[in-house]
Amino acid sequence: MVTRRLLGHILLFIFLTPVTGAPSNDPGVERKSTQDQCVRCCEPHENPVHPSSSPHQGSYSPPYPMPQVYPHINLTILKGDKGERGERGPHGKLGKEGPMGLQGPTGEKGDRGQAGIPGDSYKQHYSAFSVGRKKGLHSSDYYQTLVFDTTFVNLYGHFNMFKGKFYCYVPGIYYFNLNIHTWNFKETYLHIMKNDQDMVICYAQPSDRSIMQSQSIMLELQQNDEVWVRLYKRERENAVYSDDVDIYVTFNGYLIKPNLD
């Protein structure tokens, strides 16, 4: 049944292909091309040849070419089974980079990361000190350094307790403050010094009543600069008061802004 249907489809796609110029089988007939002589199919030939007059029995050659029939089969209707999948070919060459796309929306905030490794101490830009003195002091020389005996804060040891001086190891802007207590009937005359230059004065005239005096200053320091307190003696006796029980004299300083240039 399937074969009959298939042959029926094949016969439907057969078409006729005419072929002109076929040679005659009769050797006595002169061969002429269709360009030299045109013969109508419906009219009789000038020299008709009867089949019985042919020298070859059973061979008849018409005076004009006969069309030849060639069968043509459309193979597209003969669809076979699906073949096996072939192997994957090699990767092609990398194409050109395309244009940058639009920026996408902001993503959600991620989790907090772990703390980093602590840095070295010399990279920490801090400096501060606060010192005091328990004993009173009378000036005996023209100039005398005020030395302290009590330490409240001395970060990284930048204040030298033996010399009574602060040494700058971190350049920047510093704040300094001096607090003293005057002595009855004695003059109080001190300077906050930067290296060998007096910057500000802390002064109190002699009085029968002792008072607290204070002085503050901000200084821009470079590395190895020194800041200290100096007593200045004139004609009168110069003194500051303190005792072993309470501390009346303090000197403080700390870094406000380091110079990172």
Side-chain angles (χ1 to χ4, degrees):
M1 187 68 178
V2 177
T3 306
R4 291 180 181 179
R5 290 183 181 180
L6 181 61
L7 292 177
H9 286 294
I10 294 174
L11 293 178
L12 290 177
F13 288 90
I14 296 177
F15 66 92
L16 300 178
T17 305
V19 178
T20 59
S24 175
N25 295 328
D26 190 353
V29 180
E30 183 180 2
R31 299 180 181 179
K32 295 183 180 180
S33 65
T34 56
Q35 296 180 357
D36 298 335
Q37 183 178 5
C38 179
V39 179
R40 292 187 180 182
C41 299
C42 59
E43 296 180 357
H45 196 268
E46 295 180 357
N47 300 317
V49 180
H50 195 271
S52 61
S53 63
S54 176
H56 301 281
Q57 186 67 25
S59 61
Y60 170 73
S61 298
Y64 48 84
M66 295 295 294
Q68 297 183 7
V69 179
Y70 295 94
H72 177 75
I73 302 175
N74 188 357
L75 298 180
T76 58
I77 64 174
L78 302 177
K79 185 177 180 180
D81 298 335
K82 186 177 180 180
E84 297 180 357
R85 186 174 181 179
E87 298 181 357
R88 186 173 182 179
H91 292 283
K93 295 182 180 180
L94 185 64
K96 296 182 179 180
E97 184 177 359
M100 181 179 294
L102 300 176
Q103 184 176 0
T106 304
E108 298 180 358
K109 185 177 181 181
D111 298 333
R112 185 175 181 180
Q114 298 180 355
I117 302 175
D120 298 331
S121 59
Y122 69 89
K123 293 183 179 180
Q124 298 176 354
H125 303 290
Y126 301 105
S127 182
F129 73 92
S130 179
V131 294
R133 182 180 175 92
K134 292 182 178 180
K135 296 181 180 180
L137 179 63
H138 292 263
S139 60
S140 57
D141 297 327
Y142 188 62
Y143 294 115
Q144 187 174 354
T145 303
L146 182 60
V147 180
F148 300 88
D149 52 25
T150 303
T151 301
F152 299 109
V153 174
N154 190 8
L155 191 62
Y156 308 126
H158 292 177
F159 190 90
N160 191 318
M161 297 295 294
F162 298 99
K163 295 183 178 181
K165 294 183 178 182
F166 168 77
Y167 291 89
C168 176
Y169 293 98
V170 182
I173 299 176
Y174 287 79
Y175 173 82
F176 296 96
N177 170 256
L178 174 65
N179 298 286
I180 56 98
H181 192 281
T182 64
W183 206 302
N184 295 351
F185 305 105
K186 295 181 181 180
E187 186 178 48
T188 302
Y189 202 134
L190 300 96
H191 289 109
I192 296 179
M193 305 289 295
K194 176 183 175 182
N195 299 326
D196 294 331
Q197 181 181 0
D198 54 328
M199 305 304 296
V200 291
I201 187 173
C202 183
Y203 178 77
Q205 292 182 348
S207 174
D208 56 350
R209 299 180 59 183
S210 59
I211 58 174
M212 292 292 298
Q213 288 286 88
S214 179
Q215 181 63 279
S216 302
I217 187 175
M218 293 175 61
L219 296 175
E220 184 175 3
L221 303 181
Q222 303 298 326
Q223 191 170 3
N224 298 325
D225 282 344
E226 303 174 2
V227 179
W228 50 289
V229 179
R230 181 186 70 180
L231 277 74
Y232 174 54
K233 181 181 179 180
R234 299 191 298 177
E235 294 82 5
R236 301 177 182 178
E237 186 177 4
N238 189 3
V240 292
Y241 175 81
S242 190
D243 57 35
D244 296 335
V245 179
D246 299 317
I247 297 177
Y248 290 89
V249 181
T250 58
F251 186 38
N252 314 287
Y254 57 88
L255 176 64
I256 297 177
K257 181 181 181 300
N259 185 5
L260 302 178
D261 297 339

